[in-house]
Amino acid sequence: MKKILYLALLSLTVLVAYAQKPRELVIKINTQNKAQKIDNFGAAGAWFTEGIAKNWPTQNREQMAEWLFSKEFDANGNPKGIGLSAWRFNIGGGTAEQGDSSGITDSRKRVECFLRPDGTYDWSKQAGYIWFTKKAKEYGVENLIAFSNTPPVQFTKNGRGYKTTKDYVSNLKPEHYSDYAGFLATVLKHFDREGLHFNYISPVNEPQWDWYHAPGQGAKQEGSRWRNDEIAHVAKSLDSALTATGSTSKILLTEAAQLDYLYTKTGNANQQTQAFFNPKSKLSLTNLKHLPALIGGHSYFTDKGDSARIAIRRHVADTAAKYGTTFWQTEYSMLADGYREGKAGRIPAIDCALFLSKVIHDDLVYGHAAAWQLWNSWEPGNPDFDTRYYLIALNPANKEYTNGTITATKNLWALGHYSRFIRPGMHRLNIMRNDGLTPTQIAQDLMVSAYASEKEIVLVAINYSNEERDLKPEISGFKVKSGEVYLTTGEKGVDMRQGKVGSLKGGVNVPARGMVTVVLKK
């Protein structure tokens, strides 16, 4: 009787153990099956940056720089930072000097301008922005990108950094196109002399929005509408100005407000890939010296619903391929409510981070993005809930923003799962899954993408489900010598926590609602 009872208990133990064993996902990877080359992962430092770099305690801003730019590890092998390979610097339009008369209600979102009204330059301006940009260079960030939201206010039709007339055209005076281009080229030349080279210059931002506020209504930020023909005019003027100064910087267009403006939509700033990169288009810019076959767009407002999000990104990739262009995703935060995915109440930081990871995954895998850049690195907010706008949560000590404290959010590490180990020049690899799931089903399950250089393979796995999983990579064309795994979960302090990879045959565990990056060395 005892023997029978013992065997029954043993069988039950085996059954329970089997039932509790995580479901496996086998992915097959061939290092020769390459997709797009990766150019960079980045973020912007705007608005609050000026006051932080000038006034906040040195240890705070040094910590912020380390979190964003460092490629070093601590004593336990955990990354000290997310190793960004691009940093976006905002060339201001002069609304800060205008003060309250600028019409921008939030003083922290007004930006200084290097160009004085008399035509001379003041290079002491934007010192806070420059401090962080110099830090990016010191840490070895590979790409510095300068972008402008408005021409200098002395060149605009209304003398302001935004529109006060709802006419759906640029705020730049027609006679100042060459002046605006010359201003941008002069800024780049100055910083070249200072040893701070900007690889790219972006002269227009979200040209589809009118950036209109009636006088006295109060504006939120600098901005200008641009029609496609006006963008072409700016690009040609800037190309000439960069040639005249001997610049090697490249022009980045068009920073479209939504991804679908790159291939469809109506209006006078639509179908921008076709407008500028179809040789038969009357606005074709394919012969400009400083303009690469590169188109930038923002993932805002096209992130709601898995099937719709994926379909839009496939259209972006198809259109870019048709016209021989590379696509960069150049701005994103969770502006709309897609990140809520139907949930009410406060959204925990890990859920925001997982949604951010999913958008990055879809932009890379279905949109074939060669670069992915976030807006904005830091903003005031709660580090534990509704972290939709930032990587680093600011807690200012006063309304003047002369002091405050900082907290890294789960979003920082969510981006870091990609940016830290997927370096410029690596290629994304096409993979095969053994579960037969559709892309829409994958978006609620275990998402996996793979990247490779000659010496490394990097896997990023996002477990969107509520059950732990085992990931089993089967790799051909690459002999694995060693590997590390980096884990982020909702648990406090588990932020890209390092561990070792054992035998790949045993698989890599991916906890429920967790993110894992696997780094395999040849």
Side-chain angles (χ1 to χ4, degrees):
M1 185 70 181
K2 288 183 179 179
K3 185 175 182 181
I4 294 172
L5 182 60
Y6 170 77
L7 290 173
L9 287 171
L10 183 63
S11 298
L12 181 61
T13 302
V14 171
L15 284 171
V16 169
Y18 180 79
Q20 291 177 340
K21 191 175 188 298
R23 284 194 300 129
E24 293 179 355
L25 172 65
V26 177
I27 60 166
K28 293 187 177 182
I29 302 170
N30 183 338
T31 55
Q32 300 305 308
N33 191 358
K34 296 178 181 179
Q36 78 270 27
K37 185 177 80 170
I38 300 300
D39 293 328
N40 61 75
F41 289 90
W47 293 342
F48 311 96
T49 302
E50 194 68 19
I52 291 169
K54 284 181 178 178
N55 303 314
W56 286 34
T58 301
Q59 65 266 27
N60 281 10
R61 44 193 158 107
E62 290 285 359
Q63 178 64 82
M64 294 164 79
E66 182 178 74
W67 279 335
L68 290 174
F69 307 134
S70 177
K71 303 182 192 74
E72 295 183 352
F73 300 90
D74 66 17
N76 296 316
N78 304 317
K80 290 184 177 181
I82 65 171
L84 293 180
S85 46
W87 182 244
R88 290 173 61 88
F89 169 81
N90 179 208
I91 298 177
T95 53
E97 289 86 345
Q98 293 179 322
D100 290 343
S101 66
S102 69
I104 296 175
T105 54
D106 188 339
S107 61
R108 300 162 304 178
K109 297 183 180 181
R110 304 168 191 159
V111 192
E112 294 176 342
C113 186
F114 296 115
L115 183 63
R116 298 187 184 101
D118 65 2
T120 60
Y121 284 81
D122 181 352
W123 300 115
S124 70
K125 299 290 187 178
Q126 293 198 248
Y129 285 77
I130 291 297
W131 189 89
F132 276 103
T133 306
K134 286 182 176 179
K135 277 292 170 183
K137 178 176 169 52
E138 287 176 19
Y139 274 99
V141 173
E142 291 89 340
N143 293 277
L144 299 181
I145 302 164
F147 69 98
S148 171
N149 289 334
T150 178
V153 292
Q154 54 265 49
F155 296 156
T156 64
K157 294 173 182 175
N158 58 0
R160 299 198 180 195
Y162 61 93
K163 300 285 298 296
T164 50
T165 303
K166 200 171 184 66
D167 54 7
Y168 304 100
V169 296
S170 170
N171 200 25
L172 178 63
K173 289 181 179 178
E175 65 269 25
H176 284 309
Y177 274 83
S178 61
D179 294 324
Y180 177 40
F183 161 71
L184 295 175
T186 299
V187 171
L188 298 187
K189 185 177 180 180
H190 166 78
F191 286 109
D192 271 338
R193 289 171 175 165
E194 295 284 307
L196 202 61
H197 176 66
F198 288 95
N199 307 76
Y200 296 89
I201 174 66
S202 171
V204 303
N205 179 68
E206 298 187 344
Q208 292 80 16
W209 303 153
D210 204 48
W211 302 103
Y212 161 80
H213 297 275
Q217 190 180 61
K220 294 181 179 180
Q221 67 168 89
E222 295 182 346
S224 176
R225 174 83 176 201
W226 300 88
R227 299 184 316 229
N228 279 350
D229 61 306
E230 293 168 330
I231 295 171
H233 192 170
V234 167
K236 291 174 183 177
S237 298
L238 182 54
D239 187 65
S240 297
L242 294 174
T243 299
T245 58
S247 176
T248 59
S249 299
K250 299 174 183 177
I251 300 170
L252 171 61
L253 296 180
T254 61
E255 307 266 9
Q258 296 181 183
L259 296 186
D260 41 2
Y261 280 109
L262 294 178
Y263 63 90
T264 186
K265 304 286 276 188
T266 58
N268 52 27
N270 65 326
Q271 297 185 33
Q272 294 190 311
T273 306
Q274 300 94 310
F276 301 124
F277 295 101
N278 181 351
K280 296 180 180 179
S281 167
K282 64 179 181 180
L283 299 178
S284 177
L285 300 173
T286 55
N287 63 341
L288 296 187
K289 177 182 177 181
H290 294 272
L291 184 72
L294 173 65
I295 192 87
H298 300 173
S299 279
Y300 304 125
F301 306 112
T302 58
D303 55 357
K304 189 171 185 176
D306 295 331
S307 59
R309 184 180 57 256
I310 291 166
I312 288 169
R313 280 142 185 82
R314 282 178 159 169
H315 282 304
V316 169
D318 291 345
T319 307
K322 181 176 180 179
Y323 296 100
T325 60
T326 296
F327 162 58
W328 281 13
Q329 194 294 123
T330 52
E331 265 192 38
Y332 178 73
S333 67
M334 292 165 251
L335 279 183
D337 64 354
Y339 77 102
R340 304 190 71 88
E341 296 189 297
K343 296 188 286 285
R346 297 195 301 175
I347 306 299
I350 189 61
D351 289 356
C352 291
L354 285 163
F355 188 81
L356 174 63
S357 296
K358 177 157 67 170
V359 172
I360 299 172
H361 170 274
D362 290 356
D363 285 341
L364 294 168
V365 172
Y366 305 116
H368 293 188
W372 202 96
Q373 298 155 13
L374 183 104
W375 173 275
N376 190 10
S377 293
W378 38 68
E379 295 203 9
N382 187 326
D384 300 316
F385 294 94
D386 296 321
T387 56
R388 55 196 289 199
Y389 300 126
Y390 43 84
L391 304 176
I392 299 169
L394 306 177
N395 181 22
N398 51 53
K399 64 179 182 180
E400 290 79 20
Y401 263 66
T402 56
N403 200 350
T405 58
I406 56 172
T407 307
T409 73
K410 293 292 180 180
N411 286 347
L412 178 78
W413 307 110
L415 177 54
H417 275 280
Y418 293 92
S419 62
R420 177 59 190 84
F421 297 106
I422 306 169
R423 306 310 303 172
M426 296 182 83
H427 282 82
R428 186 177 67 83
L429 302 176
N430 295 307
I431 64 173
M432 297 286 291
R433 301 169 62 105
N434 76 332
D435 57 6
L437 296 185
T438 66
T440 302
Q441 291 171 324
I442 291 169
Q444 295 296 326
D445 196 79
L446 182 60
M447 292 167 269
V448 184
S449 55
Y451 311 83
S453 65
E454 289 297 317
K455 297 181 179 180
E456 287 186 341
I457 289 179
V458 177
L459 307 177
V460 182
I462 308 154
N463 189 353
Y464 225 70
S465 75
N466 292 312
E467 60 172 312
E468 65 174 324
R469 300 291 300 278
D470 278 345
L471 174 65
K472 288 194 172 183
E474 295 181 356
I475 304 171
S476 59
F478 189 96
K479 187 175 181 180
V480 176
K481 180 181 179 182
S482 62
E484 288 87 34
V485 60
Y486 299 87
L487 168 68
T488 298
T489 68
E491 183 181 341
K492 190 175 181 64
V494 182
D495 302 316
M496 291 190 76
R497 189 169 66 189
Q498 189 256 13
K500 295 293 182 182
V501 174
S503 168
L504 288 182
K505 291 181 180 179
V508 176
N509 183 262
V510 186
R513 307 295 286 169
M515 295 167 275
V516 165
T517 293
V518 183
V519 181
L520 303 172
K521 299 183 186 299
K522 201 167 189 178

